Amino acid sequence: MGNSGGSLTTRATGELHQLMRAAGFRGIDEAETLAEGWQVADFADAGQRSMANLVRHTGTSALMVSFHDSDVGFVEGLTPDGNSWEGLLNREMAESYEIPLEHFPLEPAVAGALAWSAAAGLTPDEEAVRRTLTGSALFVEELSSALLVALGLPGAAQEIA
């Protein structure tokens, strides 16, 4: 059985683990520090408003990927001014789970990802974002890592399976 938790990426001062717990995340692993204050932490569960609570508290953009058995990733991005976007990773596998792809249209996801990245002060690679949101991988965590790189997160490295 694969990973069914999630991953949160944000720029936060202070202990990300404590900030996440206060925002409603549960089963939080130790945060990985990237660069320029960006951190990534895996979690087992998140409440419906956990990411919004975290963004409101920290005043920084956040990106959350919820994993379904390491096969599919549901992406949500949120900025402090309330702009949000959604995307889907491993679309081909999502179809096999009968997840309606029309609920996750590609063009709004690409536009949202690029706007999120710019709002976070990053420089995204539009073609790489598009490839990530349309690509497939044995483990969706690979696409999640590729998305961080495509969004321009400093210090992000793509996992090699």
Side-chain angles (χ1 to χ4, degrees):
M1 183 157 171
N3 184 1
S4 289
S7 175
L8 178 88
T9 304
T10 191
R11 182 184 292 169
T13 57
E15 172 59 41
L16 182 58
H17 187 274
Q18 291 174 350
L19 294 169
M20 288 176 69
R21 189 172 45 244
F25 290 87
R26 301 288 173 251
I28 307 158
D29 291 341
E30 195 65 34
E32 173 190 353
T33 301
L34 300 179
E36 299 177 21
W38 286 94
Q39 298 180 58
V40 179
D42 293 333
F43 59 88
D45 189 39
Q48 187 174 6
R49 304 267 316 139
S50 294
M51 187 168 66
N53 292 339
L54 182 88
V55 168
R56 186 177 60 252
H57 181 75
T58 63
T60 62
S61 298
L63 183 78
M64 182 171 73
V65 181
S66 299
F67 301 116
H68 179 70
D69 201 24
S70 287
D71 291 332
V72 178
F74 299 93
V75 184
E76 297 176 62
L78 183 62
T79 63
D81 61 6
N83 289 329
S84 65
W85 69 281
E86 294 181 331
L88 185 65
L89 298 175
N90 231 6
R91 296 175 76 84
E92 188 175 305
M93 185 61 76
E95 279 187 299
S96 72
Y97 280 100
E98 299 181 2
I99 294 169
L101 299 185
E102 64 272 11
H103 292 172
F104 301 93
L106 179 62
E107 292 310 316
V110 171
L114 298 175
W116 179 91
S117 179
L122 305 173
T123 304
D125 177 336
E126 181 176 351
E127 188 54 39
V129 168
R130 186 176 304 282
R131 274 194 316 270
T132 302
L133 292 173
T134 58
S136 62
L138 181 59
F139 298 106
V140 74
E141 292 83 356
E142 297 170 35
L143 292 173
S144 180
S145 295
L147 181 60
L148 296 182
V149 172
L151 290 170
L153 269 94
Q158 189 167 342
E159 290 181 7
I160 305 298

